[in-house]
Amino acid sequence: MILLLLACGDPCSPGANPTLEIGIGRDAYEPVEDGDTTPVTQGPQGGYHIELAIETTRLNEKDPGTATATGHVEGELLAQAQPWFQVECDGEVQHASGIRLFVNAVPDDILGLEMVVDMIVEDSRGKRAQASKTLTVGDVVVQ
C-alpha cells in the first residue's frame, strides 16, 4: 500500500487524473456491479429518484464539486441530474452519497429494465472524472 501511495500520490489529496466509481446509497457508498438491481425512491413530493453514491480519488475535498448524471433505458434518456457533492476521505479513497438521479418515467414502466447511468464529476479546480454503470431498475421504496 505504501508503494502505491508513493507511486500515485495520496488518493485523498487533489491531484492529476482523478478516478470515479458509481455506486448507490443515500447515507453511505455501497459498491455495485453492472447489472445489480437498485430501488427507485419515491420522494416526499411524489417524484422518483435513484440514490447514487460515488467513490473517487484525487478530487479536492475542501470545496463542493459538481456532477452531471444521466440514465438511459433502451436508449431513451429517462433520468438526469446536475447535483453538487462533497467528498470525504476514509483514509484510502473519497466517498459522497445521496446524489439523486431524478427519474422522468413511471417506475412500473421500467421495472426490471437496465438503466445505463453515466456520470461526470468535476471538482473546484476543474479536474474531471467520468464513469458508467448499468443498473437494473428495482421496486419503488417510499422515503
Side-chain angles (χ1 to χ4, degrees):
M1 180 64 152
I2 293 174
L3 290 176
L4 177 63
L5 289 175
L6 290 174
C8 300
D10 180 0
C12 289
S13 293
N17 304 317
T19 64
L20 171 66
E21 183 67 33
I22 298 170
I24 60 171
R26 178 179 178 192
D27 299 315
Y29 172 83
E30 297 176 39
V32 291
E33 298 294 326
D34 279 329
D36 282 356
T37 300
T38 186
V40 175
T41 301
Q42 181 178 8
Q45 295 178 337
Y48 299 99
H49 61 273
I50 295 173
E51 295 278 1
L52 297 177
I54 56 174
E55 180 177 87
T56 65
T57 61
R58 297 184 289 284
L59 290 178
N60 185 0
E61 68 178 333
K62 295 184 193 262
D63 298 314
T66 59
T68 300
T70 59
H72 289 80
V73 175
E74 297 180 340
E76 184 178 354
L77 177 64
L78 291 180
Q80 56 190 352
Q82 291 185 306
W84 64 271
F85 63 92
Q86 185 90 32
V87 293
E88 294 183 18
C89 182
D90 71 5
E92 295 184 21
V93 294
Q94 302 164 317
H95 291 113
S97 57
I99 299 170
R100 293 183 174 173
L101 177 62
F102 296 99
V103 177
N104 302 317
V106 177
D108 287 344
D109 293 344
I110 58 174
L111 180 65
L113 299 179
E114 290 186 335
M115 178 180 288
V116 178
V117 176
D118 295 302
M119 184 181 286
I120 299 171
V121 299
E122 184 173 329
D123 70 10
S124 60
R125 303 168 302 137
K127 295 295 183 180
R128 290 180 166 210
Q130 63 186 47
S132 183
K133 186 74 65 173
T134 300
L135 300 172
T136 301
V137 178
D139 291 328
V140 174
V141 295
V142 179
Q143 186 175 38

